[in-house]
Amino acid sequence: MGSGRWGWIVPDGLWEIARPLLPPARVRPQGGGVASIDDEAVFAAIIYVLVSGCAWRALPPCFGASKSTVHRRFVIWSRAGVWGRLHQKVLQLLDERDLVDLSRAVLDSAHVRITDRLRERPPPHTNYADTSRITRVQDSGSRPRRHGVNVQVVTDPGGRLLWLSPALPGRTHDLTAARTHRIIRICERQGVPIVADLAYQGAGPWLTTGIKRKPLQELTPTDRTRNRALAAARAPVERGVARLKSWRIFRRSRCSPNRMTSMAKAVLTLELQR
């Protein structure tokens, strides 16, 4: 971790990079009001929520800011594009130190489950003497409602996470998601070949996938050898997805699916700072 007051939670040098990217605080035209909370303390509180995976309401008081202030500042910074620019800045610094290998990109997807357990209240004027009805209401209200999002993951040949896509509904096919985010077109324009699994078949000549066995036919020895070589080349992205899932917020998130894009960008920046 870094140094300074919040060095126990904020990686070293990250606040210095993020400070000039933050939008200025809004000034009340009528004057007065309460003094604004220090941006560094709010930034540290946001990092704490991302690292611990806790809910905003469980934020400890040591940061000197309420959960409403921290969440509101996170939304404002997300809308201002702070996390995307911070990721680009950190990636640029790593590239200047020759810590990023762009000889090829490895593409895969990660499904993030978002759990929201909603319990229905008994309807008004419920006859509490009818215990069977109360049991049915409680049973129907305790069923979990789960949502999921599809996040496209791009790593370098060494398994370093380079980019996470905006979140799409979990039912989105991987190839559809890649085309929606123009991943293949951007890599082709930059001259970076892509390696991916069979879910991306039909994406074009710039993306290399394995060979799928046809019905009632077997793969030739050459095809099997090629698939083994591609599986070895794809292994780093599986390691990158595993590191992404090591974050608690990506294993079981309770936030709105609309917030996962901003959180994914922030987590990606922290992952690059490891």
Side-chain angles (χ1 to χ4, degrees):
M1 288 297 172
S3 58
R5 180 182 179 185
W6 307 112
W8 58 276
I9 189 63
V10 180
D12 188 19
L14 185 60
W15 169 243
E16 287 72 16
I17 300 174
R19 179 188 298 171
L21 304 178
L22 301 181
R26 187 180 64 178
V27 180
R28 291 164 57 95
Q30 70 273 24
V34 182
S36 178
I37 303 296
D38 182 26
D39 282 342
E40 186 176 2
V42 176
F43 185 79
I46 294 174
I47 300 300
Y48 178 86
V49 171
L50 296 175
V51 172
S52 65
C54 71
W56 296 100
R57 63 178 178 272
L59 194 67
C62 63
F63 298 100
S66 65
K67 60 179 179 60
S68 302
T69 300
V70 176
H71 181 263
R72 181 173 62 252
R73 204 78 62 89
F74 174 77
V75 173
I76 292 174
W77 292 351
S78 299
R79 291 175 179 172
V82 170
W83 308 114
R85 289 186 309 222
L86 182 60
H87 165 245
Q88 293 177 0
K89 188 66 176 178
V90 172
L91 198 60
Q92 180 182 355
L93 293 176
L94 293 176
D95 189 29
E96 292 174 356
R97 300 173 187 173
D98 294 330
L99 297 177
V100 179
D101 184 7
L102 296 179
S103 59
R104 69 173 181 270
V106 190
L107 176 63
D108 203 351
S109 66
H111 184 82
V112 182
R113 172 176 288 184
I114 299 177
T115 302
D116 184 17
R117 187 177 292 271
L118 301 177
R119 294 183 178 271
E120 299 179 359
R121 296 182 178 180
H125 310 294
T126 300
N127 182 10
Y128 290 93
D130 187 0
T131 56
S132 61
R133 183 179 181 184
I134 296 176
T135 304
R136 289 196 300 269
V137 171
Q138 291 177 349
D139 290 343
S140 63
S142 62
R143 294 174 185 172
R145 296 182 58 185
R146 293 187 177 92
H147 309 274
V149 294
N150 182 304
V151 177
Q152 297 294 299
V153 181
V154 179
T155 68
D156 66 359
R160 181 186 292 272
L161 289 169
L162 299 180
W163 184 76
L164 298 178
S165 71
L168 291 177
R171 65 178 180 273
T172 307
H173 192 274
D174 290 346
L175 181 56
T176 303
R179 287 172 173 169
T180 301
H181 301 306
R182 302 174 182 245
I183 300 175
I184 304 168
R185 183 176 300 179
I186 293 174
C187 289
E188 183 177 1
R189 190 180 306 162
Q190 298 295 328
V192 180
I194 309 173
V195 178
D197 58 14
L198 294 176
Y200 298 89
Q201 274 195 335
W206 198 257
L207 189 146
T208 304
T209 64
I211 300 176
K212 190 174 182 179
R213 184 179 66 86
K214 296 180 180 179
L216 304 179
Q217 294 184 12
E218 296 294 336
L219 293 177
T220 63
T222 303
D223 294 340
R224 288 197 292 268
T225 302
R226 177 184 174 181
N227 285 350
R228 284 194 295 268
L230 287 174
R234 285 190 55 257
V237 74
E238 302 293 346
R239 186 164 61 250
V241 173
R243 293 191 63 175
L244 189 65
K245 291 296 183 71
S246 67
W247 293 79
R248 183 179 178 185
I249 199 170
F250 274 91
R251 294 197 306 271
R252 187 180 181 185
S253 177
R254 290 184 176 273
C255 69
S256 168
N258 299 327
R259 294 278 182 258
M260 280 307 302
T261 297
S262 300
M263 290 191 170
K265 292 180 181 179
V267 167
L268 177 59
T269 303
L270 295 175
E271 181 64 36
L272 288 174
Q273 284 291 98
R274 274 191 176 184

